Amino acid sequence: MHKPTSSRRRGFTLVEMLVVIAIIAILASILIPVIGRSKTKAKVVSVKTEMASLAAAIKSYRTDYTRWPAPAGAEKNTYGDLTFGWNSKASGQYIDNNDVMRILMAEATGGNANNARNPKKTQYFQPKDSDDPEMDTEPGLTTKRRYNDLFGNDFKITMDLDGDGLCADVFYGRPEVSKGASVGLVDRRSVKGAGNEIYVLKGEVMIWTFGPDKQYSDGKSANDEANADNILSWK
C-alpha cells in the first residue's frame, strides 16, 4: 500500500527567510543607486533641452529687435557682455534672470517697464510654472519670474553685448575656473591675439546651472570637483 502524499507544502524555515531577505537587501543596495543615477542623467538631458529652447528664444528676440532681451541700460559684466544670474560688481546685488524672462514672455509687472522692451508682445518662451512658485529654489518658473532648472538652480544667462562674436560669462570667463579650456571655451587671446587671459565661447549666448549638486567652486578652493557636474549649454 502506498503512503498518501500530503497536499500541504512545507513552509520556509527561519534561515531560508533570512537568506531571501539578505539577497533582496543586496539587490536593492545595488539597484537603487543605479536607478538614482539614471534619473539624474535624464534630468540633465531635460535641462540641456530647456537651455537650447531658451537660447533659441533669446536669439529669436535678437533677430526681431536687433537687441538683446535685457532691461535698457543693463549693467555690463566684467568682460563687457551681459550676465544674468550673478552678483552685480557695482551694487553687489544679485542680478536675476527674471527680467530676461519677463521680456521673452511679454509680461508687464507693476512698475517694471520691461514690456516696453517687447512692444510686439511676442511670447518667445513660456516655461512651465513651478509646483511651488513662491519658493525661489523650486524647479520651473517662480512667481518672481525666476527660471530654475529641474534641480532648483537658476539658469545663468550671458549674452554677447559687445557684438564681437565672443561671449564671456562672468564666472566661466575666469582663468581659475576655465583653466586649460577644460569646459569647451577658448582663451580670448588665441582669437584676438592680445589682452588678458579670459575664456570665452565662440558664439552669442551662454547658459549654465550648478547642476545636481547645487554647488560651484571658485577655482581657488580644494573643492574644484564641485564644478564637474555643472550643466553647460555649450558642451
Side-chain angles (χ1 to χ4, degrees), residues 67-139:
R67 62 174 178 250
W68 295 111
E75 181 185 343
K76 298 178 182 179
N77 68 23
T78 307
Y79 310 116
D81 290 328
L82 288 175
T83 294
F84 296 88
W86 214 253
N87 288 321
S88 163
K89 61 182 178 180
S91 66
Q93 298 296 312
Y94 193 76
I95 302 176
D96 216 326
N97 64 30
N98 52 9
D99 281 335
V100 177
M101 300 310 301
R102 288 191 182 104
I103 294 170
L104 291 176
M105 295 188 298
E107 287 189 355
T109 56
N112 192 306
N114 285 331
N115 59 318
R117 302 293 286 177
N118 187 354
K120 298 176 184 178
K121 301 194 182 305
T122 303
Q123 288 194 338
Y124 294 93
F125 195 62
Q126 192 61 54
K128 180 182 176 182
D129 286 338
S130 170
D131 290 337
D132 189 357
E134 296 298 324
M135 294 291 292
D136 281 345
T137 56
E138 285 294 305

